Amino acid sequence: MKKFTAAAAKYIKNLDKLLLLAVCLCTVLGIVLLYSMTKNGTVSPGTFKTQAVSMIIGLIVCLLISYFDYREIAKLWFLYVPVALIPVLLTFTSLGVGVEGTDDVAWLKLGPITFQPAEVLKTAFLLSFSYHLYKVREDLNNLINILLICLHGAIPILIVMKQGDHGTALVFIMMFLVMLYSAGLSILYIIPALLCVPIAIFVAWKYLLGSVQKERILILFNPGSDPEGLEWQQDLGLSSLASGNIFGNGLFGNEKSNVPEIYNDFIFSYVGYVFGFVGCMALIAVFAFICIKIIADSRIAREELGKNICMGAFALIFTHCTLNIGMVLKVMPVIGIPLPFVSAGGTALVSMYIVIGFVLSARQHNEKIYRMFA
């Protein structure tokens, strides 16, 4: 009994409670916003209930993962990679479906349950790519290793692009770049890669992006050119965001929102509507704290694997936040990226908690003394 008590005390002591608190704060905010939307008829009560249940499941899984050593889990890539990859490939069969408000087929419908398997693939990629970088850490800049690493990164990127989910593909790209740079990529590769960026942009524009994606990008440089078409959703979202002024209109007693996907991709516009400019800035501050906390945990990780996982988690959350908020502010194209921990979506929420669980594990199984924000 004494050993169990001592182990539990050590676990609680080493747990990054501030990071977990910040994540839970964002999730509770999202649930409260969805509850507010049920009261004005914007969404059905089922959306709010699903989010609440997903938070409970996600939090439990997060704490369980944080208890186990991330190194032992990461090396089991041959088990979790197929489990994550097969459902994504099934979206190319008759089981794959699209959802209202999107133009890509990236979901699976199994009975009453609809989920996006690419969210699970993000977690599998985070672990497997971190482990790959860790295994070749002594000879990372060998040309063969670089080619294999690029192949590893290209597989999920190309699969989700084939689905038509360019937003998720961009998230994978940012995770790949940040983790590879953090692992110690030589400047001899970085400079040629930067020189190839214009070529990559040309190829993507010419051969990979569809006409709708191109128009969404062009609109950013020519606002007002299509107010009744592709700009309509962003204009409504921006108007909703601005209508909150400084302190917002309050949670309850509001009219039904006419912003498409306001419970999901455009929930930041509802934050502005309800809590105003002050609420938006407070939420951005919490997200900044989460990102800084994850970077801090990466710096005290016991070895490179833990550092890689933390930096991948940082890239994942930072990219999601930047793209989502930029989309609402009309400085980014509409690409269907949810706001982490806040937007409605059970699969995405549980997946994000799993990612945080591995960050907590990297902190938990570390012998160094943790100082930052402690």
Side-chain angles (χ1 to χ4, degrees):
M1 187 65 180
K2 289 183 178 180
K3 289 184 178 180
F4 175 79
T5 304
K10 182 179 179 180
Y11 171 79
I12 295 173
K13 178 182 178 181
N14 292 335
L15 185 67
D16 195 339
K17 293 176 281 291
L18 288 178
L19 174 60
L20 190 60
L21 177 63
V23 167
C24 289
L25 183 64
C26 289
T27 313
V28 170
L29 171 65
I31 293 173
V32 170
L33 292 174
L34 292 174
Y35 181 72
S36 170
M37 291 183 203
T38 64
K39 291 302 180 181
N40 59 37
T42 301
V43 299
S44 66
T47 305
F48 153 74
K49 294 176 182 178
T50 298
Q51 196 76 354
V53 172
S54 298
M55 178 187 178
I56 295 172
I57 295 173
L59 186 57
I60 293 173
V61 174
C62 174
L63 293 174
L64 284 174
I65 290 174
S66 69
Y67 178 79
F68 293 101
D69 194 329
Y70 62 94
R71 296 173 301 173
E72 300 302 320
I73 301 175
K75 65 176 63 173
L76 298 175
W77 62 269
F78 52 88
L79 294 179
Y80 59 77
V81 168
V83 170
L85 192 57
I86 290 173
V88 177
L89 296 177
L90 287 176
T91 61
F92 297 101
T93 69
S94 59
L95 295 175
V97 296
V99 297
E100 186 179 353
T102 66
D103 52 7
D104 49 277
V105 180
W107 283 261
L108 283 180
K109 186 171 181 61
L110 303 176
I113 301 174
T114 301
F115 72 100
Q116 189 175 13
E119 295 295 337
V120 181
L121 187 60
K122 289 176 187 175
T123 306
F125 176 73
L126 171 67
L127 286 182
S128 63
F129 194 60
S130 295
Y131 189 65
H132 190 165
L133 292 173
Y134 172 71
K135 292 295 288 184
V136 300
R137 65 191 182 281
E138 300 297 336
D139 202 16
L140 172 67
N141 291 293
N142 177 278
L143 181 58
I144 298 299
N145 285 334
I146 290 294
L147 292 175
L148 292 174
I149 285 171
C150 290
L151 177 62
H152 190 155
I155 291 173
I157 293 170
L158 294 176
I159 289 175
V160 295
M161 287 194 72
K162 183 65 176 177
Q163 287 179 323
D165 192 352
H166 295 86
T168 300
L170 189 55
V171 173
F172 275 114
I173 291 171
M174 291 304 299
M175 291 174 67
F176 172 79
L177 293 177
V178 170
M179 294 171 73
L180 185 55
Y181 175 77
S182 175
L185 182 66
S186 170
I187 192 70
L188 297 177
Y189 291 108
I190 295 176
I191 293 177
L194 292 175
L195 295 176
C196 290
V197 168
I199 300 175
I201 293 175
F202 173 79
V203 171
W205 184 268
K206 189 76 173 178
Y207 302 105
L208 299 179
L209 296 180
S211 58
V212 175
Q213 285 78 26
K214 292 179 182 179
E215 289 176 24
R216 285 174 175 169
I217 295 173
L218 292 174
I219 283 172
L220 300 178
F221 300 96
N222 190 21
S225 60
D226 189 21
E228 301 298 324
L230 294 176
E231 283 186 277
W232 179 66
Q233 184 181 16
Q234 281 184 299
D235 288 342
L236 287 177
L238 197 58
S239 176
S240 175
L241 179 75
S243 66
N245 295 311
I246 301 298
F247 297 107
N249 299 300
L251 274 169
F252 304 108
N254 300 313
E255 297 180 355
K256 179 179 179 179
S257 175
N258 62 345
V259 180
E261 301 297 314
I262 194 167
Y263 60 92
N264 193 352
D265 298 342
F266 275 76
I267 200 167
F268 189 73
S269 66
Y270 197 68
V271 174
Y273 179 78
V274 170
F275 296 116
F277 176 79
V278 172
C280 289
M281 294 307 296
L283 179 58
I284 291 173
V286 175
F287 277 125
F289 176 83
I290 291 172
C291 290
I292 292 172
K293 251 311 195 165
I294 293 174
I295 293 175
D297 284 341
S298 77
R299 294 181 64 85
I300 55 90
R302 181 165 53 184
E303 25 77 298
E304 291 299 316
L305 179 56
K307 175 184 175 182
N308 295 338
I309 291 174
C310 290
M311 292 307 298
F314 159 75
L316 171 63
I317 294 173
F318 179 81
T319 304
H320 265 265
C321 292
T322 301
L323 293 178
N324 181 275
I325 295 175
M327 182 173 62
V328 174
L329 295 177
K330 208 175 176 180
V331 296
M332 293 284 184
V334 177
I335 50 178
I337 291 293
L339 190 61
F341 309 108
V342 181
S343 292
T347 310
L349 182 59
V350 174
S351 297
M352 283 291 180
Y353 268 100
I354 290 174
V355 169
I356 294 298
F358 283 109
V359 174
L360 295 178
S361 179
R363 153 77 184 268
Q364 186 72 226
H365 300 89
N366 171 49
E367 297 175 348
K368 297 179 182 179
I369 299 175
Y370 189 78
R371 296 294 185 186
M372 188 170 185
F373 301 133

